[in-house]
Amino acid sequence: MDIQSLSPELVQPSKQAPSDAVPADQIDSTFRSSYIDLISAPLLSRILAFSNEFFASASNLTNAKPPIHRPGVFVPSGAWYDGWETRRHNPAPYDWVIIRLGVTSGVPRGVEIDTAFFSGNEAPEISVDGCFEPSSATASRGKDDEDGKEADVKVVAEVYAGWKELLGRRACGPSQRQAWQLPLDQWYEKGITHVRLRMYPDGGIARFRLYGTAIPLWPSNPAQEVELSAATMGGVATSCSDQHFGVRENLLLPGRGVDMGDGWETRRSREKGHVDWVVVRLGAKGTVRRVVIDTAHFRGNFPQRVKVDGMDVGPGQSGVVNAEDKRWVGILPEQALGPDAEHEFGMEVLLDGSVRQGAFTHVKMTIIPDGGVKRLRIFGTKA
């Protein structure tokens, strides 16, 4: 990997108003009910280049799981840290890392910097830049894909002049979550494909989150089936009854994951008649043709039964949709689930009413009585 040093004069500052800081206890409620993390590793984002990672790998920045601490554990480079940490005494003004988004392109709405467990060695300040490269915005995303490589090579070049400021220089404190909302109606409203994090002058950062909305590539043929619920297609898990063991965002990730930790799992219920639920805003209004519910890795803790409902939320009715709303329409009647398996339900199982209803903007999956689900996939055609 080429180690580049990027000159400050190559950054094009934007004329944006100061971004709003978000209190640590409001970060999740501010961003996670409306947006996804555009650079999350499970979305197959890529760390393309960095200035230095002497003490801890830059790849830790996009880990979807919270940082952990292992006091007293040492590796050849020094104390073990769950984050990105560069060497001391950086002769350049800053260290940097360049990341390709896990979606084709996206509109950023917020930045989170978590310095968990970095105290005395945390990054004193950071800033964030973005860019848009058309060839990357039309490329497929995959673990081993070659699409978009031309754009990746372009953006890591020392002479690249396409960076524009997303978030100006901000102070970081030790061992804490910090976040800032990005203002609306800026240059990045049309989307970005890559992001660059800079820290001044060096130090450590545990996690970097870029919250926003995916801009999907819809098929030119309107009759072609797509995964309407996928995070990469703009789907967002907006709310749920419980996520004690695994968060709801995992339901919409690509692939089948690696273990129970990257699924959605609720606590054990003790009340008779208990159910758990999750609401998903689809990437676009669409007609449902197929439902897949995957219980991969959930063997002794999968739900006994499941059902799926849909709702068409009209313009001007945005926000978190109430799970108890009377407008929910049945899509999939109650079905039994089994352990560690993909359960596919086609048109022969879906309720006739859901087909006659037309199209939906939201779906609600109800699990009975509780348990863990790896993925929820809603397939259909865009309305």
Side-chain angles (χ1 to χ4, degrees):
M1 178 177 291
D2 293 334
I3 306 300
Q4 305 281 354
S5 61
L6 302 179
S7 303
E9 59 267 20
L10 292 181
V11 179
Q12 303 175 21
S14 63
K15 297 179 180 179
Q16 68 171 52
S19 301
D20 295 328
V22 179
D25 61 353
Q26 297 177 25
I27 294 174
D28 290 341
S29 61
T30 299
F31 295 118
R32 292 188 180 274
S33 63
S34 301
Y35 309 114
I36 63 170
D37 179 7
L38 298 170
I39 56 173
S40 174
L43 283 182
L44 304 181
S45 63
R46 285 189 178 180
I47 305 290
L48 299 180
F50 46 79
S51 58
N52 183 264
E53 56 174 4
F54 184 83
F55 288 110
S57 173
S59 64
N60 292 324
L61 286 170
T62 57
N63 187 338
K65 296 180 180 180
I68 61 175
H69 190 34
R70 293 178 179 173
V73 175
F74 287 82
V75 294
S77 59
W80 185 91
Y81 277 92
D82 186 9
W84 172 46
E85 186 180 6
T86 64
R87 69 178 73 225
R88 295 190 186 214
H89 314 306
N90 184 14
Y94 51 80
D95 278 315
W96 53 268
V97 60
I98 295 173
I99 304 170
R100 187 178 84 174
L101 271 58
V103 296
T104 50
S105 64
V107 180
R109 291 298 182 216
V111 170
E112 179 185 346
I113 296 293
D114 189 349
T115 57
F117 310 115
F118 286 96
S119 181
N121 56 348
E122 75 280 356
E125 294 180 303
I126 59 93
S127 67
V128 181
D129 308 308
C131 70
F132 177 82
E133 282 297 323
S135 61
S136 184
T138 57
S140 64
R141 289 292 185 266
K143 188 173 182 180
D144 301 309
D145 73 85
E146 294 295 318
D147 294 339
K149 181 168 286 189
E150 180 181 345
D152 293 345
V153 172
K154 184 177 180 180
V155 301
V156 302
E158 185 175 357
V159 296
Y160 182 67
W163 294 112
K164 294 184 180 181
E165 183 182 282
L166 291 176
L167 181 72
R169 200 158 166 168
R170 295 291 188 270
C172 296
S175 195
Q176 60 187 279
R177 294 180 70 189
Q178 301 140 109
W180 302 268
Q181 286 184 306
L182 299 179
L184 304 176
D185 302 322
Q186 300 296 311
W187 67 269
Y188 45 77
E189 292 295 324
K190 292 183 179 180
I192 65 171
T193 55
H194 298 77
V195 65
R196 178 177 64 175
L197 170 65
R198 297 185 288 169
M199 63 177 175
Y200 305 84
D202 50 45
I205 296 171
R207 297 290 186 268
F208 172 34
R209 315 283 191 209
L210 184 69
Y211 298 109
T213 302
I215 301 176
L217 288 175
W218 297 106
S220 56
N221 179 4
Q224 182 176 334
E225 184 182 84
V226 294
E227 188 179 344
L228 297 166
S229 56
T232 53
M233 301 301 287
V236 178
T238 61
S239 60
C240 64
S241 58
D242 181 77
Q243 49 183 355
H244 187 81
F245 294 108
V247 296
R248 62 181 184 267
E249 296 99 308
N250 291 336
L251 286 168
L252 310 184
L253 294 174
R256 302 190 69 201
V258 296
D259 54 35
M260 288 192 300
D262 57 10
W264 172 56
E265 185 180 2
T266 66
R267 72 183 72 216
R268 294 183 186 226
S269 62
R270 305 300 184 186
E271 303 83 18
K272 186 177 180 179
H274 178 88
V275 299
D276 280 314
W277 53 265
V278 61
V279 173
V280 173
R281 186 184 72 215
L282 301 177
K285 183 176 178 178
T287 302
V288 179
R289 292 290 179 259
R290 187 161 55 97
V291 174
V292 175
I293 297 172
D294 191 355
T295 58
H297 304 111
F298 291 100
R299 300 182 178 93
N301 49 355
F302 60 94
Q304 292 180 327
R305 302 183 70 78
V306 67
K307 68 174 183 175
V308 177
D309 300 294
M311 185 193 302
D312 179 14
V313 178
Q317 302 179 47
S318 59
V320 177
V321 174
N322 190 335
E324 303 302 322
D325 197 296
K326 301 299 183 183
R327 293 174 294 170
W328 289 110
V329 175
I331 294 177
L332 176 69
E334 278 194 29
Q335 301 290 320
L337 293 179
D340 195 20
E342 283 188 298
H343 304 77
E344 182 170 339
F345 306 100
M347 291 290 289
E348 69 281 0
V349 182
L350 302 185
L351 290 166
D352 290 341
S354 69
V355 177
R356 291 195 299 269
Q357 173 74 12
F360 301 103
T361 59
H362 293 70
V363 297
K364 178 179 68 170
M365 177 176 69
T366 302
I367 58 173
I368 306 165
D370 54 43
V373 175
K374 178 55 68 73
R375 300 289 185 263
L376 167 63
R377 307 195 191 284
I378 305 295
F379 292 91
T381 54
K382 185 180 177 185

